[in-house]
Amino acid sequence: MNEMTEGTLGGRFTFPGTSLTVQRIGYGAMQLAGPGVWGPPKDPDGAIAVLREGVAAGVNHIDTADFYGPHITNQIIRQALHPYPTGLVIVTKLGARRPPDKSWQPAISPQDLTDGVHDNLRNLGLDALDIVNYRAMGAIHGPAEGSIAEQVTVLAELRRKGLIRHIGLSNVTAAQVAEAQAITDIVCVQNSYNLAQRHDDTLIDDLARQGIPYVPFFPLGGFTPLQSSTLSDVAGRLEATPMQVALTWLLRRSPNILLIPGTSSVAHLRENLAAGQLTLSPQVLEELDGIAATAEAPH
Ligand SMILES: NC(=O)c1ccc[n+]([C@@H]2O[C@H](COP(=O)([O-])OP(=O)(O)OC[C@H]3O[C@@H](n4cnc5c(N)ncnc54)[C@H](OP(=O)(O)O)[C@@H]3O)[C@@H](O)[C@H]2O)c1
């Protein structure tokens, strides 16, 4: 049974059909690589400290990809945390590669996906991956329709071989989720979503009805951190930071939302983990709900 209360780290959630239970506030590791998600971080010891402090504080859900760095982020996770504590769930993703020009290119052939699994296993130091998201490349501003059946079928085959335990999706449309579910069980969906970008409201509610977690990437706005006078006003009144309010709003938005805020800073990590202890009144939630309407008005 999933806990709907917030409490420390937002309560717990079990990925459907699995024995994997995580705290609702987890950690996204993308920020641990160097600038532009490329190369080593400026402060490798700081990156290790962030991971160790998160896990010591109870974080047991880490999101990563072998194409962060590339390879670097997974290698830092391994250096910081291997042998991994019992109960730590590392979720990775496949579907992209980083050529030397530092761009993000699709890597979606059966061979690409198989190689991607082996890269993750090697760099994380694992025999099997807990959850692998197929990350569709989509369009510049988000997911694009188109069949993902071939890629999901390849992941299902890699699961049969024991290299993957569970399959999720990322950067996908509702139709793609349904297409994938006709092929295999889907245990999570990871799309771009936050206070200001709410294109997935309907999808979140559909997944909630199925007990499937929705994991927003860019929960704090990603490369363009959230900025809103309403958010700042609310945060000031609650003696919290805007980022904490943005995270607490996500926890309250739906009980199937799991958080993976990214940071390279121990101070920001502590701030983000404390978001589970903030309370938002119905009036404040209503005020915050108005931010998306304002943010999306010009489009
Ligand atoms: N599936 C996908 O396609 C996809 C795409 C993007 C990301 N992701 C995953 O989602 C995770 C989260 O996304 P994200 O890291 O890109 O974006 P995010 O969590 O929305 O925001 C990260 C940015 O916010 C800053 N930040 C974090 N906590 C802060 C705080 N308390 N106060 C002020 N600034 C703060 C970080 O800088 P500092 O380092 O200075 O704290 C960083 O610049 C990633 O780490 C990655 O694992 C997945």
Side-chain angles (χ1 to χ4, degrees), residues 28 30-31 63 135 170 190 218 220 222 260 262-264 268 272:
M30 190 176 85
Q31 306 296 338
D63 183 79
R135 202 283 185 195
S170 179
Q190 182 180 123
F218 296 159
L220 301 173
I260 50 163
T263 182
S264 55
H268 286 168
N272 298 345

Side-chain angles (χ1 to χ4, degrees), residues 33-248:
V37 199
W38 187 270
K42 279 189 224 113
D43 176 10
D45 291 343
I48 286 173
V50 167
L51 286 162
R52 288 186 177 159
E53 171 131 358
V55 168
V59 167
N60 57 3
H61 174 200
I62 295 179
D63 183 79
T64 186
D66 205 66
F67 46 80
Y68 296 160
H71 314 303
I72 304 271
T73 298
N74 278 349
Q75 289 165 355
I76 294 172
I77 291 172
R78 179 181 186 160
Q79 192 187 343
L81 302 176
H82 197 279
Y84 299 113
T86 307
L88 177 67
V89 177
I90 298 179
V91 180
T92 190
K93 56 190 87 68
L94 301 177
R97 66 185 173 83
R98 307 290 304 281
D101 67 1
K102 305 184 185 177
S103 61
W104 302 76
Q105 300 297 330
I108 61 173
S109 72
Q111 192 60 53
D112 289 335
L113 297 171
T114 305
D115 291 349
V117 166
H118 287 288
D119 286 345
N120 276 282
L121 290 172
R122 186 178 61 255
N123 288 311
L124 287 169
L126 290 168
D127 297 327
L129 301 168
D130 281 334
I131 301 178
V132 173
N133 289 330
Y134 172 61
R135 202 283 185 195
M137 281 306 269
I140 286 180
H141 296 296
E145 294 295 359
S147 177
I148 57 169
E150 183 189 350
Q151 291 75 32
V152 173
T153 303
V154 172
L155 291 202
E157 184 53 35
L158 290 163
R159 189 182 52 195
R160 269 188 290 278
K161 289 182 177 158
L163 300 176
I164 290 176
R165 296 200 177 95
H166 304 287
I167 297 171
L169 300 172
S170 179
N171 202 38
V172 286
T173 65
Q176 288 167 331
V177 174
E179 183 189 36
Q181 287 181 303
I183 297 168
T184 189
D185 291 337
I186 295 300
V187 303
C188 54
V189 173
Q190 182 180 123
N191 278 2
S192 176
Y193 183 84
N194 56 47
L195 253 180
Q197 297 294 333
R198 297 185 53 179
H199 303 288
D200 268 349
D201 273 332
T202 306
L203 178 61
I204 289 170
D205 296 339
D206 286 348
L207 294 172
R209 281 188 283 276
Q210 300 178 61
I212 297 175
Y214 179 93
V215 187
F217 73 76
F218 296 159
L220 301 173
F223 296 108
T224 315
L226 288 170
Q227 277 189 313
S228 142
S229 53
T230 305
L231 182 58
S232 301
D233 288 350
V234 166
R237 294 203 304 271
L238 297 177
E239 297 183 353
T241 68
M243 295 311 187
Q244 286 176 318
V245 174
L247 293 174
T248 309

